[in-house]
Amino acid sequence: MKKEYVWTDTAAIDVFLNEQEIGHLTTIDAEGWPQTVPVNYLWQGGTLYFHSGLRGKIDQLRQNPKVAFAVTEPLGLLTSEVTSGPCHDTQLGRSVLIRGLAREVKSREEKLRLLNKIIAKYDPAAARDPQNNPRDPESLLNEPGFHGCLVVAVEVTMLTARQNLLDGKPTKYRQAVAAHFQKRGQELGRERDLKTAALLTRAAPASSIETMHPEGE
């Protein structure tokens, strides 16, 4: 990984992982092949959580708890409108790669707490009753889906993060690129370009440390 792409702002990485909706989980199947599937997930306290059916990937995890997990966010594409030619086109974006060990959450209380947090992340309205009062967390116990799913925790053994927001480039260049994305986003209605412009205006230089949680520590 190029040093200028290394992302070590742990607070910003936590925000990023909390904001994103889809991660890609890689497990090892019965024949020894890697298998990758998209999943909804919850990031909390440095641990990754997701729910699973009673069959399928959970069977693979019971056989081999080692997993990889990737969360990516493509941002604006810097094209020859700004660069010196198509060979210099650059995809801006952010990503986090995780290695970890999966375990099934056995405690009913912990499973209930985590499923309510997952619901609150993806369906906030369902986490409240019709009178707009907080939903009783234990009401989930009466829903058939609660007993038909599992919650899996992934204890992180290594986490690396990458951010390409033109770190290391001169401030004036980043400002010019931000203005380009702002203009293009407004003209074409591209939310991704507008977000890229906002991130470029406050991007901080990356550090030269690649790994936040080295394996084995």
Side-chain angles (χ1 to χ4, degrees):
M1 187 189 301
K2 292 184 178 180
K3 289 183 179 180
E4 62 265 33
Y5 295 161
V6 176
W7 189 18
T8 59
D9 183 340
T10 55
I13 292 170
D14 278 342
V15 171
F16 170 79
L17 288 171
N18 281 312
E19 287 179 344
Q20 301 306 307
E21 296 184 357
I22 300 295
H24 288 83
L25 172 74
T26 300
T27 58
I28 303 298
D29 69 16
E31 297 180 355
W33 289 95
Q35 177 176 303
T36 301
V37 293
V39 296
N40 298 126
Y41 72 93
L42 176 71
W43 174 256
Q44 186 176 55
T47 301
L48 181 74
Y49 301 94
F50 59 89
H51 60 83
S52 168
L54 303 181
R55 293 289 182 269
K57 57 181 174 286
I58 189 63
D59 295 319
Q60 297 172 6
L61 294 173
R62 286 168 177 160
Q63 291 296 317
N64 187 341
K66 293 182 178 180
V67 302
F69 196 81
V71 182
T72 63
E73 181 188 34
L75 295 170
L77 177 63
L78 195 57
T79 65
S80 53
E81 294 174 281
V82 174
T83 66
S84 57
C87 289
H88 296 280
D89 288 1
T90 302
Q91 176 69 63
L92 305 187
R94 304 184 290 180
S95 62
V96 172
L97 304 178
I98 289 171
R99 285 184 189 174
L101 297 173
R103 63 171 176 83
E104 182 183 341
V105 172
K106 297 290 190 179
S107 163
R108 190 185 76 162
E109 290 73 20
E110 186 182 8
K111 175 184 173 183
L112 180 65
R113 179 181 65 83
L114 292 167
L115 280 176
N116 272 302
K117 285 186 173 293
I118 292 171
I119 290 170
K121 175 180 178 179
Y122 290 95
D123 190 2
R128 307 180 71 85
D129 71 17
Q131 285 74 44
N132 203 32
N133 293 318
R135 167 182 172 167
D136 174 8
E138 294 203 0
S139 63
L140 193 61
L141 292 172
N142 298 320
E143 296 184 15
F146 177 81
H147 303 284
C149 76
L150 306 172
V151 174
V152 177
V154 175
E155 304 297 341
V156 177
T157 60
M158 185 168 69
L159 184 155
T160 58
R162 179 185 188 276
Q163 173 179 261
N164 184 3
L165 285 172
L166 304 178
D167 297 312
K169 298 291 185 182
T171 300
K172 287 185 178 180
Y173 178 74
R174 291 208 312 272
Q175 290 173 340
V177 173
H180 164 74
F181 280 122
Q182 183 71 27
K183 181 173 183 292
R184 192 170 75 178
Q186 290 174 336
E187 290 176 348
L188 302 179
R190 292 182 179 176
E191 291 295 328
R192 181 181 294 180
D193 282 352
L194 294 174
K195 182 174 184 178
T196 304
L199 288 169
L200 281 169
T201 60
R202 62 174 185 264
S207 118
S208 61
I209 302 174
E210 291 195 15
T211 304
M212 294 170 55
H213 302 290
E215 196 142 20
E217 281 193 2

